Amino acid sequence: MQNLASIKYKVALGFLALLTVTSVYSRRVMDNKVVTDPTPEAGCASAVAIAVLELNNVRARVEATGGSMWQDRANTIAEYEIPKRGSNTDPKFTSIFAGSLWMGGQDINGQLKLAAVTFRAAGNDFWPGPLNTSTAEIDAATCSKYDKFYGVSRAMVDEFVARFECIQDPNCDENVEYPGYRIPDAILNWPAHGDISQGQDWHLAPFFDRDGDDFYDPNAGDYPKYDLVGDIDCRTTRDIRLFGDTTIWFVFNDKGNTHSESQGPSIGMEIRGQAFAFATNDEVNNMTFYNYEMINRSTFTLVETYF
């Protein structure tokens, strides 16, 4: 039995077998026919953003702002390719067809709450964006704003930190050590904060706050939070951070619209996800990994809960 009363629950999954981010779908497709979304609760449209994770020996498609991954739904083909090939004409080796996060549990009255999708051909249970922390609600504009992926790499952050520390060091000339350096957009536009005017959590994507002012400012040395010095002991400290050598971060929920695939009542769950990979010389080079931070924004406790 799991008890989730506005708590955060993390699940990490590794699969055998990121960093191109694109948005290519403008409509939801089922059997090559355009279908409309169901009568809305919050009015959110189906997620359309796509990311591709391909740091190492794997090329994996991610559509997780809509709760699914590894499948080209428009053409009904697998997109978890290992070893990844050099062109579209090469034969592909795909080890997984589709996958998604499933969750379900009962409230105090025994009412089943459920969010789960299979191939998203019959509908959707998940939509992009963070929920209001008080009401567990969201609107269509917020869903649309967060229908995207935020990609960053460990090497990018390492260079940013080294250059910032060079600026602070009177014995280091940044023009010599880092000529022409510009802070990458991925760092400048990191989604560290939610919109508190919309009731969202101020702390969204994890970041290192160098000056401790609780405000993300790369010009002050703040950066997307990797454990750069290895001083976080996950066995004793629950400290949300980024994982991998390259990372795609995203946020989604199950309250953006009616659950048209599972037909289950919504939970009010906000999910902050990471898809990440490592560049190694061993078996890990043939793997991708996924981490979910789940926050129950509803006012009820779930029991008999399964993920």
Side-chain angles (χ1 to χ4, degrees):
M1 178 183 295
Q2 304 258 6
N3 189 349
L4 280 79
S6 296
I7 65 173
K8 298 180 179 180
Y9 185 86
K10 294 173 64 182
V11 178
L13 301 176
F15 288 93
L16 190 69
L18 248 153
L19 175 63
T20 304
V21 180
T22 58
S23 296
V24 299
Y25 287 141
S26 61
R27 301 175 294 180
R28 183 160 56 91
V29 178
M30 180 177 69
D31 295 332
N32 297 319
K33 298 178 181 178
V34 177
V35 295
T36 58
D37 289 301
T39 302
E41 290 183 346
C44 293
S46 305
V48 298
I50 297 170
V52 179
L53 181 61
E54 51 182 349
L55 172 71
N56 50 28
N57 201 31
V58 186
R59 184 182 187 277
R61 183 187 186 99
V62 180
E63 290 187 85
T65 54
S68 62
M69 57 184 68
W70 307 322
Q71 182 193 13
D72 179 350
R73 295 184 297 111
N75 298 299
T76 321
I77 58 175
E79 285 289 351
Y80 194 95
E81 188 178 342
I82 176 171
K84 63 184 179 184
R85 296 293 169 173
S87 73
N88 291 332
T89 60
D90 290 331
K92 291 186 177 182
F93 296 85
T94 52
S95 59
I96 306 175
F97 182 68
S100 68
L101 181 66
W102 290 7
M103 62 184 78
Q106 296 181 12
D107 64 17
I108 194 172
N109 298 314
Q111 171 70 57
L112 174 66
K113 306 288 186 176
L114 177 65
V117 295
T118 52
F119 310 106
R120 291 174 63 191
N124 291 275
D125 280 19
F126 295 108
W127 295 267
L131 298 176
N132 183 297
T133 60
S134 299
T135 65
E137 299 297 337
I138 193 170
D139 57 32
T142 302
C143 287
S144 178
K145 176 182 177 180
Y146 283 94
D147 190 12
K148 64 177 64 176
F149 295 91
Y150 301 87
V152 68
S153 73
R154 172 71 179 264
M156 179 192 299
V157 173
D158 279 335
E159 183 182 29
F160 168 83
V161 172
R163 181 255 186 181
F164 183 85
E165 293 176 349
C166 175
I167 295 174
Q168 313 305 309
D169 184 352
N171 297 316
C172 184
D173 187 341
E174 69 162 310
N175 294 317
V176 174
E177 299 296 331
Y178 303 94
Y181 180 86
R182 292 179 63 255
I183 300 176
D185 289 342
I187 293 178
L188 288 174
N189 300 322
W190 187 244
H193 301 300
D195 186 346
I196 56 176
S197 71
Q198 298 293 320
Q200 299 163 13
D201 192 350
W202 174 246
H203 300 104
L204 202 56
F207 72 97
F208 178 78
D209 187 9
R210 186 179 292 269
D211 56 10
D213 66 350
D214 201 30
F215 182 81
Y216 180 70
D217 181 7
N219 292 307
D222 301 342
Y223 57 85
K225 189 176 183 179
Y226 287 99
D227 183 10
L228 299 183
V229 297
D231 62 350
I232 299 176
D233 186 349
C234 63
R235 296 171 298 178
T236 59
T237 303
R238 188 182 182 280
D239 195 334
I240 302 299
R241 61 195 187 282
L242 300 178
F243 302 96
D245 290 321
T246 192
T247 314
I248 294 177
W249 188 93
F250 48 95
V251 58
F252 62 109
N253 68 85
D254 82 314
K255 285 294 292 288
N257 213 312
T258 56
H259 287 200
S260 53
E261 180 148 58
S262 72
Q263 307 299 319
S266 60
I267 299 170
M269 194 73 76
E270 177 180 318
I271 307 107
R272 302 171 184 182
Q274 295 181 46
F276 58 98
F278 298 90
T280 70
N281 294 318
D282 56 18
E283 291 82 357
V284 176
N285 201 51
N286 295 320
M287 301 178 185
T288 61
F289 299 86
Y290 306 86
N291 177 280
Y292 297 104
E293 179 190 4
M294 305 178 196
I295 307 170
N296 183 2
R297 297 294 190 197
S298 73
T299 58
F300 52 80
T301 298
L302 288 180
V303 297
E304 296 295 335
T305 303
Y306 293 86
F307 295 96

